Amino acid sequence: QYPMRRVGERGSGEFERITWDEAIAEIAEKWKSYREEFGPTSIAFFLGSGNTGTLGGGAPEGSVMARLLNVMGASRVLPDRDIATPMAWAYMFGAGPYGNRSSDAINAKHHVIWGGDTAVSQKQLAHFFLEARDAGTELVVIDIAYRTMASKSDWFIPVHPATDGALALGAIREIFEQGWEATDFLRDHTEAPLLIKEDGMFLRMSDLGVEPTETTTNAQGQEIPVDPYVVWDEASSSAVPLAQATKPALGGVAPIEGIAVRTEMEMIREAVEPWTLEHTSEVTGVSVEDIQHLAHLYTQEGDVQTDMKFGLNHYNNGMYSSKCVNSLLLVSGQMGRSGSGLFTGEPNFGEGNVQACITMPSATGEVPQGVGAILNWTDFCNNIVPTGKKLGEDFPIKSFYASCTNVVSNQTDQNKTLELMNAIEFIVIQDMTMNDTALYADILLPACHWFETEDLRVRYYCNPYLLWNEKAVEPLYESKPDFEIYKLIAEAMGYGDFFQFTADEYLNVVLSTPYGQEKGITIDKIREKNYLRCDNDPAIAFEGGVFGTATGRAMFYREAPQPDYNMGQELDLEKEKLSVFWEPAREADLSNPIREKFPFTICCEHMRTRAHTQWYDVDYLKEFEAAPVCRINPEDAAELGIEEGDTIRLYNDRGSVTMLAVLNPGQQRKAVHCPRSFLTREHIDGDLARTTFNDYNQACRNQSYFDCAVAIEKL
């Protein structure tokens, strides 16, 4: 309700009331001291997505908080969530958008929802599938439990946790076995014909003595030579640059000028060879008949549209599983036309004109210095804060500032998060409720709810509208809009000249994207009717099979892949080269020896009544989901002597959580589901987040919320 200063132990919730002037002055005094002694990067910002408003939000890159970060030159800590599946799309398809728009859903003959419960996690999209189903589209759901969306499907395929990639590989092998692959699509719209030498590098024209005569500009603005890829053109029976080929071969290419080569297509065939129907069934739990049916559906039964959810994303092998499913779409030719491809919902306006927002000069013409450093969450938790070093170099962190987020509850491995929160010298939390993270603040700033202020919402998940957020009530107590708080901090830090703009002036900068300028979009136009629809993305992603890669073709192979983060980790980059590589998850895999000690895996799923932990304080929603529960298969429960409503403890070497048991025959054996959006104090004991780990896959900075093995005991 008002600014507060911590007076008790961190996490105790013991605060004293102070004034806004006192709070801002104390923050500025501390931060100026740290800036002078340790540099601006010693102050770390965490931009959360709890409020996606432009003025008051954290996560949008063009938000006012993002500008404050850039003006100060502070460090930015990335949440590293939901990275694996989008990274797999970018890896193979290039620049997006990656999915067809919602209006195209009705044109599919089959919908495959893979790895998610749309009716719970994306309620606003469920009707597109149900309307298409009612109009005759077959609805297929592939999931690890029989949940709401599965109950609406025509065909439900239960798959063992984290084995979706293996299922895709088994389907691909069956497609090859039956000769069902989309040969023309693979030849004309993917890089399957590209030739790879024995050293793993592409065959290029320079290998054949043709030196580059053209140059292009890379992402860093450097001129680099153009050395075209070589394919074998069956039409001319010769090795030619890819762009000149009439009918590039997909295999069987003899050595060219003494250089042994094979095509990407041949590498794919070789990689999937072990995934027989029987082996795939053993790994995934999917019957041989269902694997055969899935392969037939993707290739022989008309247009298939795949809604690839982030269930795959939340395991340590998430990028591999996602790439394998992508490969199934390409081998089947199910991309680039109406009724096929990926479904991702409606496009949105995006983050706005980020560069203009960030680089907009001050009133005196000074340009913001930019983000001082970008830090990965796990590196920040496990290495940088505890040691004061990054990759062996001094990197002290003295202050942590978070807005619009609840990191203590929503990041993996709460144990590490709490160690972090207790190790940092000075913590500022800006929020509207006393969530788990707010309890650890040294200075707590009360942000008003977005019902208490005006803002523009430009960034959503599958929402095509620019929405004007009207004020419903005046701010309660002493709370202030986030926008005002950011400006107060900037002024106190001596950066007031960078914030000499009104809300409308800033919002018009946000709207000045090429699309916004073309359509003449201004904040006044949006405010007139409270919304504007954005139609800035094509209805069909990669229409005609033209992808957002350098070649315009979908990619199966990278000769020199690079990880998307650097923590000095050991790398086996061979795993990252071919899109049909798959390995088991770290803990969810049934054959992992850890499962002898910890036989159950947890799916820490979304709740239907909360957005992560947001709305935990809305009492009437608790009538629907009142307390943390563990949904367990009745046969597993019987073996453990557990009955409905019993108090049970889930534990591993990292931590434990105590909750109530709910018997649910929709659960697979040895796999439980627990809603992940309760605060620590809502649990009987412990916290679900204490059982998870925060280590990353070697190449993908992604938190693995579901890759968690535990044992269960009745209390």
Side-chain angles (χ1 to χ4, degrees):
Q1 297 176 7
Y2 37 75
M4 292 190 283
R5 178 192 294 120
R6 179 173 63 85
V7 295
E9 293 294 320
R10 278 193 178 151
S12 68
E14 297 176 33
F15 296 94
E16 65 178 1
R17 182 176 183 173
I18 58 177
T19 67
W20 272 103
D21 288 344
E22 289 174 311
I24 298 299
E26 187 166 336
I27 294 169
E29 180 184 4
K30 293 275 192 181
W31 283 6
K32 286 178 180 178
S33 173
Y34 298 144
R35 181 179 63 188
E36 183 176 341
E37 185 173 356
F38 303 104
T41 56
S42 65
I43 304 164
F45 281 48
F46 189 105
L47 283 63
S49 58
N51 175 2
T52 56
T54 303
L55 299 174
E61 304 297 330
S63 70
V64 178
M65 186 181 184
R67 178 168 173 82
L68 176 60
L69 166 65
N70 279 264
V71 167
M72 287 181 56
S75 294
R76 178 178 181 182
V77 184
L78 300 176
D80 291 344
R81 299 187 283 246
D82 299 340
I83 304 296
T85 295
M87 185 173 170
W89 293 337
Y91 184 101
M92 297 180 66
F93 305 147
Y98 298 111
N100 296 3
R101 286 170 55 176
S102 304
S103 56
D104 185 55
I106 197 72
N107 298 319
K109 189 171 182 181
H110 312 272
H111 277 132
V112 178
I113 298 178
W114 202 318
D117 194 4
T118 311
V120 171
S121 296
Q122 289 184 302
K123 305 174 187 66
Q124 76 278 16
L125 297 182
H127 73 94
F128 291 109
F129 299 105
L130 301 180
E131 289 161 5
R133 182 204 61 187
D134 292 347
T137 298
E138 181 187 23
L139 179 58
V140 182
V141 172
I142 303 173
D143 204 351
I144 63 174
Y146 187 79
R147 300 190 287 171
T148 306
M149 209 65 196
S151 74
K152 311 299 179 188
S153 67
D154 299 298
W155 179 27
F156 169 55
I157 308 175
V159 62
H160 287 332
T163 64
D164 305 84
L167 175 59
L169 294 182
I172 291 171
R173 188 191 186 281
E174 175 66 8
I175 288 168
F176 288 152
E177 189 76 10
Q178 301 299 330
W180 291 338
E181 67 270 23
T183 302
D184 290 342
F185 183 88
L186 289 163
R187 177 185 288 119
D188 298 336
H189 301 295
T190 79
E191 294 184 358
L194 294 190
L195 300 174
I196 299 166
K197 300 179 294 182
E198 290 180 324
D199 63 2
M201 304 298 285
F202 287 115
L203 182 69
R204 291 180 168 83
M205 291 303 294
S206 60
D207 294 312
L208 306 182
V210 180
E211 294 302 317
T213 58
E214 298 180 25
T215 62
T216 188
T217 303
N218 67 10
Q220 290 72 41
Q222 303 165 322
E223 289 290 318
I224 57 173
V226 176
D227 194 0
Y229 298 121
V230 176
V231 296
W232 183 260
D233 186 16
E234 293 179 345
S236 62
S237 297
S238 62
V240 300
L242 174 63
Q244 296 178 17
T246 302
K247 188 180 180 183
L250 291 173
V253 179
I256 298 174
E257 296 188 13
I259 303 172
V261 293
R262 55 181 176 161
T263 65
E264 286 187 17
M265 193 73 241
E266 289 173 309
M267 295 179 70
I268 294 166
R269 288 181 179 275
E270 179 182 330
V272 303
E273 188 60 30
W275 292 96
T276 63
L277 292 170
E278 293 73 21
H279 178 54
T280 303
S281 179
E282 180 183 1
V283 171
T284 65
V286 179
S287 70
V288 165
E289 293 74 20
D290 278 352
I291 300 167
Q292 290 174 314
H293 184 179
L294 188 66
H296 191 272
L297 180 145
Y298 264 97
T299 57
Q300 304 299 302
E301 300 181 22
D303 289 330
V304 181
Q305 193 167 89
T306 304
D307 188 18
M308 192 171 166
K309 296 299 186 186
F310 279 13
L312 283 66
N313 178 91
H314 293 333
Y315 297 93
N316 198 248
N317 66 349
M319 190 170 73
Y320 304 139
S321 280
S322 299
K323 286 196 291 187
C324 290
V325 176
N326 291 345
S327 299
L328 172 60
L329 270 60
L330 295 174
V331 168
S332 306
Q334 293 287 357
M335 300 257 338
R337 66 177 185 272
S338 175
S340 72
L342 292 167
F343 172 98
T344 55
E346 287 296 308
N348 59 49
F349 189 79
E351 308 285 4
N353 194 339
V354 173
Q355 281 303 110
C357 295
I358 297 306
T359 61
M360 184 169 53
S362 70
T364 58
E366 190 177 353
V367 177
Q369 56 190 309
V371 177
I374 295 178
L375 311 175
N376 296 113
W377 175 258
T378 290
D379 201 13
F380 187 67
C381 274
N382 299 5
N383 305 317
I384 298 172
V385 171
T387 69
K389 294 182 180 294
K390 177 172 171 57
L391 297 176
E393 300 293 327
D394 288 344
F395 205 103
I397 296 292
K398 294 297 177 180
S399 184
F400 181 69
Y401 171 48
S403 175
C404 311
T405 190
N406 181 12
V407 294
V408 171
S409 295
N410 292 330
Q411 298 294 104
T412 49
D413 197 343
Q414 190 181 80
N415 312 289
K416 292 289 187 182
T417 305
L418 294 180
E419 289 175 13
L420 168 84
M421 300 300 281
N422 284 311
I424 293 176
E425 191 171 299
F426 183 62
I427 296 176
V428 179
I429 301 298
Q430 182 173 315
D431 216 307
M432 59 189 186
T433 66
M434 189 66 75
N435 59 34
D436 287 337
T437 305
L439 295 173
Y440 288 82
D442 292 298
I443 296 293
L444 188 52
L445 303 177
C448 65
H449 194 281
W450 52 84
F451 295 165
E452 301 169 320
T453 187
E454 295 180 324
D455 210 334
L456 173 67
R457 302 194 172 273
V458 300
R459 177 181 182 265
Y460 311 93
Y461 304 94
C462 313
N463 185 330
Y465 296 98
L466 285 162
L467 295 177
W468 180 243
N469 187 136
E470 290 186 311
K471 182 192 295 187
V473 296
E474 291 301 316
L476 297 176
Y477 313 108
E478 293 183 18
S479 64
K480 291 182 181 292
D482 294 272
F483 176 55
E484 291 184 20
I485 300 173
Y486 301 144
K487 294 183 76 170
L488 285 172
I489 293 173
E491 186 71 38
M493 288 294 296
Y495 297 118
D497 281 351
F498 286 91
F499 291 82
Q500 297 302 311
F501 45 71
T502 65
D504 279 11
E505 288 170 341
Y506 192 80
L507 293 175
N508 279 327
V509 174
V510 171
L511 295 169
S512 64
T513 64
Y515 175 81
Q517 291 176 331
E518 176 191 346
K519 300 296 182 181
I521 299 175
T522 65
I523 193 60
D524 284 339
K525 286 188 176 180
I526 297 169
R527 195 185 279 118
E528 280 179 18
K529 58 178 183 176
N530 293 333
Y531 73 93
L532 281 178
R533 183 180 175 91
C534 301
D535 295 311
N536 50 323
D537 282 350
I540 310 300
F542 311 121
E543 189 165 12
V546 179
F547 291 85
T549 62
T551 62
R553 294 166 172 256
M555 301 169 64
F556 286 108
Y557 182 84
R558 290 198 179 206
E559 59 185 1
Q562 294 296 321
D564 78 331
Y565 72 96
N566 181 14
M567 288 168 45
Q569 71 271 29
E570 293 185 9
L571 292 166
D572 178 3
L573 289 179
E574 290 301 312
K575 295 180 178 181
E576 313 305 325
K577 288 185 176 181
L578 191 62
S579 66
V580 289
F581 171 82
W582 184 84
E583 68 180 10
R586 175 168 145 174
E587 294 187 5
D589 178 54
L590 286 168
S591 65
N592 191 320
I594 198 176
R595 298 297 294 276
E596 295 179 13
K597 184 178 181 181
F598 304 116
F600 292 87
T601 55
I602 304 176
C603 176
C604 309
E605 66 176 3
H606 287 153
M607 293 171 63
R608 66 180 68 237
T609 56
R610 302 185 184 186
H612 302 294
T613 54
Q614 201 164 107
W615 317 118
Y616 76 88
D617 54 342
V618 182
D619 288 340
Y620 69 82
L621 291 178
K622 295 179 183 178
E623 297 176 18
F624 298 92
E625 293 179 292
V629 298
C630 172
R631 290 195 285 279
I632 183 171
N633 183 282
E635 294 179 51
D636 287 330
E639 289 180 0
L640 295 169
I642 293 171
E643 296 182 356
E644 180 90 12
D646 281 349
T647 301
I648 60 174
R649 176 174 172 261
L650 287 63
Y651 64 93
N652 55 27
D653 291 337
R654 290 181 292 269
S656 68
V657 61
T658 300
M659 55 181 66
L660 301 177
V662 173
L663 274 54
N664 185 342
Q667 297 295 135
Q668 289 192 48
R669 297 292 306 273
K670 306 305 179 186
V672 301
H673 275 63
C674 302
R676 64 173 293 266
S677 300
F678 288 97
L679 300 186
T680 299
R681 59 182 178 269
E682 294 182 277
H683 291 87
I684 297 171
D685 187 49
D687 194 297
L688 191 60
R690 293 180 190 173
T691 64
T692 57
F693 62 80
N694 71 354
D695 298 333
Y696 296 156
N697 169 282
Q698 65 160 7
C700 180
R701 54 182 176 89
N702 191 54
Q703 298 203 17
S704 304
Y705 290 100
F706 300 171
D707 203 345
C708 174
V710 297
I712 300 176
E713 63 179 358
K714 178 180 175 180
L715 297 181

